[in-house]
Amino acid sequence: MSQRKQRVEHGLRDVLTEMIAREVKDPRVRAATLITVTKVELNVDLSVASVYISIVGDDATADGVLAGLAKAAGFLRGPVGRKLNLQHAPELRFLQDPSIDMSEKLAAIIRDDEERARAAGREPGAVPAAPVAPAPPVASAPPVASAPPVAPAPPGDNNKEPA
């Protein structure tokens, strides 16, 4: 990834975080408890920015926030481009960050597993000792017939032909 692309992505994330908090007055966006710009990905020619948003709230609130941000994308595009000194500001596409939901689901699974372990009388996080199975018997290969050992030729007889 080019260094310029990384700089623009980082700058977009910072500027959008600030502008969403201060400039966007849409009540759908204001309904969320917390909105965080988690990641910005630009396409190769820097014309489209996928902006990943983490939203604290229920699914209806998240849908409203995404709709409000999509509506405000044109409003945000110009000032963002000017603040980052971009000749052509990228089109902003707001998406909900799936990694946050996945981490919450994994944390819930771990909590549930720990509760089950406590209910079963085990220490949470402890790996149960698995019985060690005996090693399977090793099948021995049949003996290989070998040729009788060859005696070394006496020194100096290398040029004689066998009789």
Side-chain angles (χ1 to χ4, degrees):
M1 181 187 304
S2 73
Q3 200 172 21
R4 173 174 162 69
K5 183 177 173 185
Q6 284 180 336
R7 274 195 333 262
V8 172
E9 286 174 345
H10 183 73
L12 277 171
R13 191 186 75 215
D14 292 344
V15 170
L16 283 170
T17 300
E18 178 186 327
M19 288 195 68
I20 289 171
R22 293 184 185 186
E23 304 292 329
V24 177
K25 304 295 185 206
D26 191 319
R28 296 173 291 186
V29 176
R30 294 284 181 193
T33 307
L34 179 66
I35 300 173
T36 307
V37 178
T38 56
K39 177 173 56 171
V40 174
E41 289 180 352
L42 287 163
N43 66 346
V44 176
D45 64 353
L46 309 180
S47 65
V48 178
S50 297
V51 182
Y52 291 92
I53 304 290
S54 167
I55 303 164
V56 175
D58 59 356
D59 289 338
T61 304
D63 293 340
V65 168
L66 290 174
L69 288 174
K71 192 80 169 172
F75 166 75
L76 294 170
R77 185 178 181 180
V80 165
R82 284 189 289 279
K83 283 188 178 189
L84 294 175
N85 296 322
L86 299 175
Q87 190 170 9
H88 299 285
E91 175 187 341
L92 302 174
R93 295 182 183 168
F94 292 96
L95 306 164
Q96 189 167 4
D97 190 359
S99 65
I100 303 297
D101 291 336
M102 185 60 66
S103 64
E104 288 175 5
K105 288 177 184 177
L106 289 173
I109 290 170
I110 290 170
R111 281 192 302 271
D112 185 46
D113 187 47
E114 287 175 349
E115 289 172 11
R116 288 182 184 178
R118 284 189 193 98
R122 292 181 294 152
E123 177 70 27
V127 179
V132 179
V138 178
S140 60
V144 179
S146 61
V150 178
D157 290 344
N158 291 346
N159 294 335
K160 293 184 183 178
E161 289 186 22

